[in-house]
Amino acid sequence: MIEGQKTSSHIKNSDNSLSRRRFFYHSGAAIFTTTLLSSCEGIIDDIFPKTDKPEEESAPDRDKTLAFFGDSLTIGAGGTKPYGSVVAAALNGRPVLSDGIVGQVASRIAVRQGGTPLTISIEGDKLNGIKPVKITKLSNQFLSTPTNYDEYSRTGSIGGVRCTIRRTANAELGENYTITPATVSVLDVPADSEFLLDDASRLKTATQILWYGRNNIGKSDAEEQIIAALESSIAYITAPARYIVLGVLLAQSERKGTENYDQVKAINEKLAAKYGKSFVEMTPPTDAELAEISYSPSSDDMTDLENLNFPRGLRADVANDEIHLNDKGYQIIANRVIAKIKELKY
């Protein structure tokens, strides 16, 4: 028994001795590991660098292009340049395209943007070498405007053949649409063939700024047409879609209490509710916004502001043009869009 007790005591003391050795071993390893990691911190940071760059800079594959679609407001009519160029310049000179045609309603803009498909039928149902061929039917007169006889054109493809669609117009003959291949082709073109627009396809991945609807105001179906055009356009943008919707701008004469004022107000309320953070209001400029562009409102401007409208001093020429803005007016719009792009990290 005594021998057994000694043996037991010996075994117990051996365990205690081993535990102490393990403690010092593991403690030493922990100290060594901590020291090693501390000394390697700089190396680890070199291998896995920390970054405080904003999200847009850390996503190199994201398309940085800003694509502005709309009517004459989009191309800066009344000013000296499209407001989109002001936005792009303020955002490190990002690539920009401003696509607007004077006097166009929302449904035509949506075709140029790509959200609404374009189909055509042509004379003889066949391309004719490199000669222009008359277009006899269009699903949408996407280059048409009631305000001028200017020539407009867009490139694209039909059946894999690169072509240009051109709109010409004059007072005597009205409008004429033609299609011209870029290279010799006698491709058969069945009725109602789809024409794929180059810009629409190329800009699907861009951040898109959509200013639709000014030329729909006064029509009974304005709200329906504007929302339908915006829905199709946004659905067309590559997911996750990056877009901003601008509200409808009041004309100078559309003061509080007028029928058009009520229509614009109702449409903008619907757009604000539908698009939330992606919506930019077209409310009159605030004191802070006016100060930002160094503008002091006149007494006439104050009257306009009281009527919840853009002041006439920020418009092109209220005697002859009650819709378009001047450069200072477009700067207000640009500043709102710049702020929204930054807010949404586009």
Side-chain angles (χ1 to χ4, degrees):
M1 290 294 292
I2 295 173
E3 185 176 353
Q5 288 174 353
K6 286 182 180 177
T7 303
S8 175
S9 175
H10 173 71
I11 294 172
K12 184 176 180 181
N13 291 339
S14 175
D15 286 345
N16 288 340
S17 176
L18 183 61
S19 296
R20 286 194 296 272
R21 284 199 297 273
R22 284 176 180 159
F23 171 78
F24 286 116
Y25 174 78
H26 289 300
S27 297
I31 293 168
F32 174 75
T33 302
T34 303
T35 304
L36 179 62
L37 287 173
S38 297
S39 65
C40 292
E41 186 175 356
I43 298 172
I44 292 171
D45 286 343
D46 288 340
I47 298 172
F48 304 105
K50 297 176 182 177
T51 178
D52 295 322
K53 291 182 178 180
E55 184 180 342
E56 70 172 88
E57 290 184 25
S58 62
D61 294 334
R62 176 185 288 180
D63 187 348
K64 299 295 193 298
T65 305
L66 301 172
F68 294 77
F69 287 99
D71 49 37
S72 53
L73 290 166
T74 289
I75 54 174
T80 60
K81 58 190 172 185
Y83 79 96
S85 63
V86 178
V87 175
L91 297 172
N92 301 317
R94 288 171 61 168
V96 61
L97 179 138
S98 296
D99 188 349
I101 292 181
V102 179
Q104 282 206 328
V105 293
S107 60
R108 291 179 180 175
I109 302 169
V111 174
R112 286 190 282 107
Q113 184 268 350
T116 301
L118 174 67
T119 62
I120 67 171
S121 301
I122 67 173
E123 198 168 69
D125 297 329
K126 182 188 288 286
L127 296 177
N128 184 17
I130 56 171
K131 295 180 180 179
V133 177
K134 183 176 181 180
I135 296 175
T136 57
K137 181 183 175 186
L138 281 156
S139 59
N140 185 297
Q141 292 178 302
F142 73 112
L143 299 178
S144 296
T145 172
T147 63
N148 64 49
Y149 298 120
D150 293 350
E151 180 179 307
Y152 295 104
S153 65
R154 293 293 185 275
T155 59
S157 62
I158 190 163
V161 177
R162 295 289 315 288
C163 298
T164 297
I165 288 181
R166 181 169 285 104
R167 174 259 191 183
T168 57
N170 59 59
E172 293 76 27
L173 300 176
E175 286 191 320
N176 184 49
Y177 278 81
T178 60
I179 182 169
T180 307
T183 57
V184 175
S185 176
V186 290
L187 176 76
D188 288 328
V189 179
D192 301 317
S193 292
E194 186 171 6
F195 186 88
L196 302 174
L197 291 158
D198 284 342
D199 284 342
S201 300
R202 179 171 61 86
L203 297 168
K204 283 187 72 171
T205 57
T207 294
Q208 298 202 9
I209 297 86
L210 311 175
W211 201 356
Y212 294 10
R214 177 55 249 179
N215 295 300
N216 291 83
I217 299 306
K219 299 177 173 64
S220 60
D221 62 350
E223 181 179 305
E224 176 188 347
Q225 290 293 318
I226 293 167
I227 290 176
L230 285 167
E231 285 179 342
S232 65
S233 290
I234 291 166
Y236 180 74
I237 301 170
T238 300
R242 289 173 287 122
Y243 66 90
I244 293 170
V245 172
L246 273 60
V248 178
L249 180 70
L250 285 164
Q252 202 275 330
S253 63
E254 292 169 346
R255 298 188 175 99
K256 185 169 54 176
T258 64
E259 187 174 342
N260 278 7
Y261 174 92
D262 291 341
Q263 186 182 43
V264 170
K265 183 174 182 289
I267 290 171
N268 283 338
E269 286 173 352
K270 285 282 182 68
L271 296 179
K274 186 175 181 66
Y275 295 113
K277 288 184 178 180
S278 296
F279 181 71
V280 171
E281 295 276 6
M282 282 299 112
T283 48
T286 63
D287 290 343
E289 287 179 314
L290 292 173
E292 189 176 2
I293 63 168
S294 302
Y295 184 81
S296 299
S298 67
S299 58
D300 285 338
D301 289 331
M302 294 304 296
T303 299
D304 293 330
L305 290 168
E306 288 168 7
N307 281 300
L308 304 181
N309 208 325
F310 256 69
R312 65 194 67 193
L314 299 184
R315 295 195 185 263
D317 176 13
V318 292
N320 301 299
D321 181 351
E322 65 172 11
I323 292 176
H324 299 107
L325 305 174
N326 57 28
D327 284 343
K328 283 191 174 293
Y330 284 118
Q331 184 69 60
I332 296 285
I333 308 303
N335 288 346
R336 291 179 181 180
V337 172
I338 292 164
K340 185 61 68 174
I341 288 173
K342 290 179 178 179
E343 176 193 338
L344 298 176
K345 294 182 169 60
Y346 285 169

